[in-house]
Amino acid sequence: MVTERILEDKELGRLFIRVNARARRLTFRTKEDGVYVTVPPGTTLAEVKNAIEQLRPRLRNARQKQVRPLIDLDYRIDTEFFKLSLTSGQRERFLSRSELGEMQIICPPDADFTDENLQAWLRKVIEEALRRNAKIILPPRLYMLSMQHNLPYKSVKINSSSGRWGSCSARGNINLSYYLVLLPKHLIDYVLLHELAHTREMNHGERFWALLDKMTDGKAQALRNELKGYRTDF
């Protein structure tokens, strides 16, 4: 039986396990200092560890959001399709210079980067730049791959999803997260091909993976595992 204890996880940090007599199931809450796990009486440590492994991708994503890096003059985004830098200027207001694939934010000399409102504003500005870039980059690439593999789709939309890279409806409507532009080109293509494969196979069964494997030269599972190292956020 699990008593109140702390588990150390290399990826998730500390997990604080607490027994609650009124609990009917395991619940997880992420905070800045770790993950808090509430369990019903009688829950074994093996059951807790099994639940952690099943929820690891979601817990990882939640933990990363708790420890977002501070956007300041040292902050950089340097990916294949999007580069961001911040520099100090002389004016008393923020200015931004943006073009396809690149953005520079010029900051006042006395900018307080610890201010939560400023951090929220900077993220909003960067997200809008990501959205603009994604709308230019992703649809043409999706269309090209669609024609190449004879997998037509009905429509494509760019959204702000931070929970998934993309999705495809039964009607062939594809949604793509603008965070895709932060990925390397080969992983962008993997996600696009993944969604295109759903226009023929609306599941993750054997035929779906066989189709995706065919389109990725047998690298579907390797690319899937590589993608897990990235996040739909910044």
Side-chain angles (χ1 to χ4, degrees), residues 49-133:
K49 290 184 176 180
N50 182 57
I52 291 170
E53 291 309 313
Q54 290 182 357
L55 295 173
R56 181 171 291 275
R58 293 185 182 181
L59 293 173
R60 182 197 306 124
N61 187 49
R63 284 292 290 143
Q64 288 173 337
K65 288 184 177 179
Q66 289 286 344
V67 292
R68 280 180 166 181
L70 191 72
I71 300 177
D72 58 15
L73 295 177
D74 295 322
Y75 185 84
R76 294 287 185 276
I77 294 178
D78 188 10
T79 61
E80 199 166 344
F81 290 101
F82 188 77
K83 301 183 187 301
L84 168 77
S85 63
L86 288 85
T87 184
S88 182
Q90 301 301 317
R91 298 187 179 184
E92 296 302 314
R93 62 189 182 93
F94 286 86
L95 298 173
S96 65
R97 296 172 180 169
S98 184
E99 57 187 59
L100 182 60
E102 190 168 349
M103 182 180 196
Q104 183 184 58
I105 299 177
I106 304 170
C107 310
D110 59 348
D112 179 11
F113 294 103
T114 63
D115 181 82
E116 292 184 4
N117 291 327
L118 175 55
Q119 287 293 306
W121 181 81
L122 287 169
R123 288 192 180 278
K124 183 177 179 180
V125 169
I126 297 168
E127 286 168 355
E128 284 305 311
L130 290 174
R131 185 191 300 273
R132 290 194 301 270
N133 279 264

Side-chain angles (χ1 to χ4, degrees), residues 1 54 60 65 98 106 157 165 192 200 209 216:
M1 178 177 177
Q54 290 182 357
R60 182 197 306 124
K65 288 184 177 179
S98 184
I106 304 170
K157 292 182 179 179
W165 297 108
L192 301 186
R200 185 175 296 174
W209 288 108
T216 58

